[in-house]
Amino acid sequence: MLNAFWWGGGKEGGGIRWMAWDRLACPKEEGGIGFRDFKAFNMAMVAKQGWSLLSKPDTLVSRIFKARYFPNNSFLDSSLGYNPSFVWRSIWKSREVLTLGCRWCIGDGSQINIMQEPWFRGSSDGKLGGPQKQEVYHLSVNNLMQVNVKQWDVDIIRDLFDASDMEKILSVPLTEEVAEDKMIWKDEKDGVYSVRTGYNLWRNACWRTAGLSHLIDSRLHSFQDIKSLIFDICSKESREVAGRFAVMLDGIWKNRNDYVWHNEQEEASALGLKSNYVWNEWFQAQERMAGNASSNHVLEWSPPPVGWLKCNVDAAFNNNNGTTNRGWCVRNHFGNFIYAGTAWDPGTLLVFEAEALALKEAILGAISSNLEFVIFESDSQIVTQAVHSNKKGNSEFCLIIDYICSLLRSFKNFEVKFVKRQANSVAHSLARAANSWARRSLLSSTPLCIEHLLINESR
């Protein structure tokens, strides 16, 4: 139908092809029209069936496919097999889409192989790179955790890994709300695969990879060695093109090492897609940081109604210590300090996950202090909207929100509201200073770091 609309021109459909379909389906930022790429869309649709095999392993169809095609490993590590059906051939191909955006949500860690499964955050494929000690390849993530305590065992990790890998492992947060290992889609806050994000990831990755490959091919004949080619691209191309090229070179080097040390080699297409995903993650993080510029309009903290208390909550990150921090402060309708709380944990969560944990700990602190009629204010609109919605999911964020909602259902006089960052400075200062106290602290006297803020806001 689209072909007839754009190229049709008469009863027999013999119109002029003004532009090739490949250009029509090219993203606008790449110079095309941005029409839907049906091949990529089909892959994203089929990937939804592959996602069902990952996320619902106990269903009858999942058990049949596993018994037939991958009885001894996972779907992501499966091979095409002998004499595959058309259905399996299609679903198996869709793994390339799923590897761009899925990872394990760590519960007890028993189902997650340390080297073969995607369980890292912020990594292109979510896997730990090699080479490693031989015994590591047969261990599960739970072997790196303390017994009966959901914390990393630092001594074991130090014995098995070098300093850089140890730092990467300890940066992975372990949340109490996650009871069992689950595969989640990291590009959706609820952790559930969507055709929309799958299509965008796959289409963009294919186009970016093809564009960068074309750039390299067009210049390769002009240089005698790769060093000259790298210098030319980094000095003459845009920051984005040079960045993508650098990330691709890093992926090629790691792939080379995996082949030399473990005789494992990824296909060039998969390598290009992973490099594109790493760049996109970094670029989006820079955009978020640039978008956090504060406005000139000054907002101030407002007291709660008479008879109520207000608890402001916030989260922060300590990059030097590799911790995620939380802080909260309770005040009455006069603006008088009641108490404050701080907490920190090793590992780096996503921003909205950290904000949700801060809200959870503030509510638990109010319950343990037997408080009633409390308004909790957070400067995370994502968290406050999630609390007031009924959407379910499997991600760490959704499980934390579910726990918060269960607390609010039990304590009807607790309310959660959104507040601008400028009116939440007390909680923000507490979160930034959380490492000055024990891992969990309740402060009955006014901390020095917020004393001046309390005085200004109580005027």
Side-chain angles (χ1 to χ4, degrees):
M1 292 172 63
L2 286 169
N3 178 70
F5 180 81
W6 288 104
W7 290 340
K11 295 182 179 179
E12 298 181 359
I16 299 175
R17 274 62 173 171
W18 295 107
M19 182 181 287
W21 183 259
D22 287 345
R23 298 300 299 169
L24 290 173
C26 178
K28 292 181 180 179
E29 58 269 21
E30 299 295 330
I33 305 298
F35 290 172
R36 177 168 289 170
D37 184 330
F38 288 108
K39 185 176 181 181
F41 184 69
N42 179 66
M43 282 283 285
M45 290 286 286
V46 177
K48 193 171 185 179
Q49 308 307 317
W51 178 255
S52 294
L53 299 183
L54 282 174
S55 59
K56 302 175 183 177
D58 296 328
T59 61
L60 179 60
V61 66
S62 297
R63 288 156 53 196
I64 291 174
F65 271 105
K66 181 172 180 59
R68 173 67 178 86
Y69 294 109
F70 51 101
N72 299 319
N73 52 10
S74 67
F75 171 63
L76 293 180
D77 294 321
S78 63
S79 59
L80 187 58
Y82 175 74
N83 193 25
S85 67
F86 175 75
V87 173
W88 170 247
R89 188 185 297 272
S90 301
I91 296 177
W92 182 81
K93 181 66 176 176
S94 73
R95 295 178 313 123
E96 297 181 31
V97 179
L98 296 177
T99 54
L100 295 175
C102 70
R103 69 167 174 84
W104 279 98
C105 180
I106 302 176
D108 60 8
S110 60
Q111 300 183 48
I112 309 171
N113 183 277
I114 291 175
M115 298 300 299
Q116 298 177 7
E117 300 288 350
W119 57 283
F120 276 92
R121 297 183 176 212
S123 176
S124 58
D125 60 358
K127 296 182 180 180
L128 184 66
Q132 302 291 347
K133 295 181 179 179
Q134 188 62 38
E135 59 265 30
V136 171
Y137 290 82
H138 305 289
L139 297 179
S140 300
V141 171
N142 65 323
N143 297 121
L144 306 181
M145 299 163 61
Q146 298 181 21
V147 179
N148 299 324
V149 179
K150 197 166 185 181
Q151 295 180 14
W152 295 117
D153 193 315
V154 179
D155 294 332
I156 291 178
I157 296 173
R158 184 183 293 111
D159 290 339
L160 293 175
F161 302 96
D162 59 27
S164 60
D165 287 333
M166 176 180 174
E167 182 180 353
K168 287 167 58 178
I169 293 172
L170 295 179
S171 69
V172 178
L174 299 174
T175 54
E176 294 290 343
E177 288 74 19
V178 184
E180 58 184 19
D181 300 327
K182 295 181 180 179
M183 186 67 77
I184 65 170
W185 185 250
K186 57 187 177 185
D187 288 289
E188 293 287 348
K189 293 184 181 64
D190 60 3
V192 179
Y193 175 83
S194 72
V195 175
R196 175 181 57 83
T197 54
Y199 168 75
N200 289 335
L201 278 175
W202 179 252
R203 184 203 62 176
N204 292 338
C206 289
W207 275 104
R208 299 289 188 187
T209 303
L212 194 56
S213 298
H214 176 72
L215 173 67
I216 296 173
D217 292 340
S218 65
R219 296 194 178 191
L220 198 57
H221 68 278
S222 303
F223 301 95
Q224 296 180 349
D225 53 41
I226 191 67
K227 179 181 178 180
S228 301
L229 173 64
I230 294 173
F231 180 80
D232 184 74
I233 291 178
C234 292
S235 60
K236 295 182 179 180
E237 293 296 332
S238 65
R239 178 169 175 263
E240 179 178 352
V241 172
R244 290 183 182 279
F245 181 61
V247 173
M248 178 173 284
L249 287 180
D250 181 66
I252 293 173
W253 177 252
K254 291 179 179 178
N255 194 44
R256 175 261 182 198
N257 288 339
D258 286 340
Y259 179 74
V260 170
W261 295 101
H262 304 294
N263 199 28
E264 297 178 356
Q265 189 174 13
E266 289 190 277
E267 296 181 0
S269 59
L271 193 63
L273 294 174
K274 290 179 180 179
S275 299
N276 176 72
Y277 187 81
V278 171
W279 167 263
N280 285 338
E281 278 193 331
W282 182 87
F283 188 76
Q284 291 170 8
Q286 305 310 305
E287 285 188 326
R288 285 195 296 268
M289 291 173 63
N292 287 334
S294 59
S295 64
N296 294 326
H297 179 64
V298 178
L299 298 175
E300 296 181 349
W301 178 84
S302 59
V306 177
W308 284 74
L309 299 173
K310 178 173 284 189
C311 178
N312 290 82
V313 304
D314 200 9
F317 300 96
N318 189 321
N319 295 326
N320 294 328
N321 295 338
T323 60
T324 299
N325 301 352
R326 280 90 70 190
W328 60 96
C329 180
V330 180
R331 285 174 277 182
N332 60 20
H333 64 275
F334 294 112
N336 295 332
F337 176 86
I338 304 299
Y339 74 85
T342 62
W344 58 266
D345 285 308
T348 304
L349 293 160
L350 297 176
V351 174
F352 49 84
E353 292 173 339
E355 298 281 3
L357 275 180
L359 178 59
K360 184 204 80 169
E361 299 221 29
I363 294 175
L364 290 176
I367 293 173
S368 64
S369 300
N370 298 316
L371 301 185
E372 297 182 2
F373 300 100
V374 183
I375 298 173
F376 297 90
E377 286 188 341
S378 169
D379 57 24
S380 172
Q381 202 160 22
I382 293 176
V383 171
T384 54
Q385 289 176 349
V387 168
H388 294 108
S389 70
N390 295 320
K391 191 174 182 179
K392 302 294 182 180
N394 295 323
S395 65
E396 292 96 336
F397 176 68
C398 285
L399 293 174
I400 297 170
I401 294 296
D402 286 343
Y403 185 77
I404 291 173
C405 291
S406 67
L407 294 176
L408 295 176
R409 285 192 294 268
S410 300
F411 295 87
K412 303 293 185 180
N413 295 323
F414 287 176
E415 297 181 7
V416 174
K417 294 183 178 181
F418 170 73
V419 66
K420 293 287 186 178
R421 168 67 66 86
Q422 290 173 292
N424 202 39
S425 57
V426 169
H428 182 68
S429 298
L430 282 168
R432 293 186 62 182
N435 296 100
S436 302
W437 296 284
R439 192 163 175 177
R440 297 286 186 281
S441 299
L442 286 179
L443 311 172
S444 56
S445 58
T446 306
L448 292 177
C449 63
I450 63 170
E451 194 173 74
H452 65 291
L453 295 173
L454 293 175
I455 294 173
N456 291 336
E457 293 182 345
S458 64
R459 291 174 180 175

